[in-house]
Amino acid sequence: MLPDRFPVYFLIVLTVFVAMLLDVYPLALEYRIFRPQFTLLVVIYWVYILPQSSSMALLLLLGMLLDVTVGSPLGQHPLMLVLVGYLCLRSYRRVRHFARWQESLWVLLLVACAQLLAYWVQALFGRPMDGFEFLLPAVASACCWPLLAMVFDRLRRYYRIARQV
C-alpha cells in the first residue's frame, strides 16, 4: 500500500517544505507585510483535495514546527492551522464548485481569520495592534491563490492524484 501512496505523501511533504521555506525567506522590512501565507495556502489546497486524509494532529505538529522556525509565540500557528483546517473540512464540498475568483475570496476570508487569530495571540503577549494592515497578507494570499492552485493542479494531474469525495 505504501508504494502506491508514496508519490502523494512525497508531493505533500515537498510542497509544505517549499512553502515553509518561502515563509521564512528574508525580505526587506517594507515588503514583509505583503508576504502571502504560503504554508497556510498549501494546507488549504491539500485539505480541499484530500479531505479524508487530513489530520488535525499533523496540522498541530506542522504549526508547532512553524512556530519554532519563525520564532512566533508557541501555539500561534497551530491555532491558525487547526481553525483553517476545520473550516476547510466543513466547506470543501461547496468550495469545489466555486470558480477560481470565488475560491480566492474564500481564501481571503480564511487567511483573514487566521491573521486575526495570530494578532490576537500576539496581543496577548504584549504586541500592540497597528490598525488593519495585518490583513494585507490575506489580500496577498488571495491574489496568489489562482496561480498556486493552477500549479498544484498540474502537479496533481502529473502524479495522478485524484480528488477524494
Side-chain angles (χ1 to χ4, degrees):
M1 180 114 173
L2 184 62
D4 293 339
R5 302 296 290 173
F6 181 74
V8 175
Y9 297 135
F10 177 73
L11 184 62
I12 292 172
V13 168
L14 181 67
T15 55
V16 168
F17 179 72
V18 169
M20 286 180 67
L21 285 177
L22 289 172
D23 276 344
V24 297
Y25 185 78
L27 288 175
L29 284 175
E30 56 269 6
Y31 298 122
R32 284 187 192 166
I33 194 70
F34 299 109
R35 182 194 314 258
Q37 296 288 316
F38 290 109
T39 306
L40 197 58
L41 290 174
V42 169
V43 165
I44 290 169
Y45 181 82
W46 287 117
V47 169
Y48 280 143
I49 296 301
L50 304 169
Q52 278 78 22
S53 299
S54 301
S55 168
M56 291 297 154
L58 285 176
L59 289 180
L60 274 172
L61 290 174
L62 176 63
M64 295 297 265
L65 182 63
L66 261 172
D67 280 344
V68 169
T69 305
V70 174
S72 61
L74 206 57
Q76 172 183 326
H77 284 96
L79 185 62
M80 290 168 47
L81 289 175
V82 168
L83 172 76
V84 169
Y86 175 75
L87 291 173
C88 289
L89 282 174
R90 296 290 296 165
S91 64
Y92 76 92
R93 287 190 177 114
R94 275 180 252 134
V95 174
R96 281 186 178 173
H97 301 291
F98 285 178
R100 279 281 189 235
W101 68 272
Q102 291 170 322
E103 286 179 8
S104 292
L105 290 177
W106 182 241
V107 166
L108 173 73
L109 288 173
L110 289 173
V111 177
C113 288
Q115 289 294 101
L116 282 170
L117 265 175
Y119 277 88
W120 176 69
V121 168
Q122 289 183 6
L124 290 176
F125 282 88
R127 182 174 182 229
M129 299 290 279
D130 298 338
F132 290 106
E133 70 184 20
F134 67 92
L135 292 175
L136 289 176
V139 174
S141 298
C143 291
C144 288
W145 176 256
L147 179 63
L148 183 121
M150 267 185 1
V151 169
F152 280 16
D153 282 343
R154 285 186 155 232
L155 282 172
R156 189 173 53 84
R157 279 190 219 107
Y158 180 77
Y159 285 105
R160 296 185 180 135
I161 301 170
R163 282 185 173 183
Q164 291 179 350
V165 181

